[in-house]
Amino acid sequence: MASSFGSRLEDSVKKTVTENPVVVYSKTWCSYSSEVKSLFKRLGVQPFVIELDELGPQGPQVQKVLERLTGQQTVPNVFIGGKHIGGCTDTVKLYRQGELEPLLSEAKAKSTES
């Protein structure tokens, strides 16, 4: 029973990261999560944010699923275009190397200025 619940949760995580150009699994009190969210904001990107600490008992379960899928147990856990990018350090590093924005364009994440 528990395993089918786990796989349902896993499916829902996979669906979320596939259907949204940018997904950030976050915690409201986490400064690294805030840093990533404001970086995306500066870049004109509206990430789909899931605050794990607001999910109640499901939060830790989602975090376990993320760890199983990505090998990363910390937040923020960032996905762009369905691909796992990593945490805050990874995201900022990509940005500094000029690799974040091409990824974002590829994922059609930027709201185009008309």
Side-chain angles (χ1 to χ4, degrees), residues 3-20 25 58 61-62 65-66 68-69:
S3 68
S4 80
F5 174 71
S7 67
R8 265 213 314 281
L9 211 49
E10 192 168 309
D11 289 343
S12 116
V13 166
K14 286 178 177 163
K15 190 168 187 277
T16 302
V17 301
T18 318
E19 290 178 355
N20 299 281
Y25 285 91
Q58 218 188 8
Q61 292 163 337
V62 171
V65 167
L66 286 167
R68 208 166 52 233
L69 292 174

Side-chain angles (χ1 to χ4, degrees), residues 50-65:
I50 294 103
E51 301 290 3
L52 294 175
D53 57 330
E54 290 178 348
L55 294 180
Q58 218 188 8
Q61 292 163 337
V62 171
Q63 201 162 352
K64 278 203 185 74
V65 167

Side-chain angles (χ1 to χ4, degrees), residues 26-83:
S26 161
K27 289 185 179 169
T28 52
W29 47 262
C30 170
S31 60
Y32 294 112
S33 296
S34 305
E35 193 179 327
V36 159
K37 288 182 281 193
S38 52
L39 172 62
F40 284 131
K41 200 174 182 176
R42 282 204 309 277
L43 296 175
V45 171
Q46 199 59 56
F48 185 77
V49 177
I50 294 103
E51 301 290 3
L52 294 175
D53 57 330
E54 290 178 348
L55 294 180
Q58 218 188 8
Q61 292 163 337
V62 171
Q63 201 162 352
K64 278 203 185 74
V65 167
L66 286 167
E67 186 183 348
R68 208 166 52 233
L69 292 174
T70 66
Q72 176 187 325
Q73 47 183 225
T74 53
V75 293
N77 204 327
V78 181
F79 293 82
I80 298 174
K83 290 194 283 288

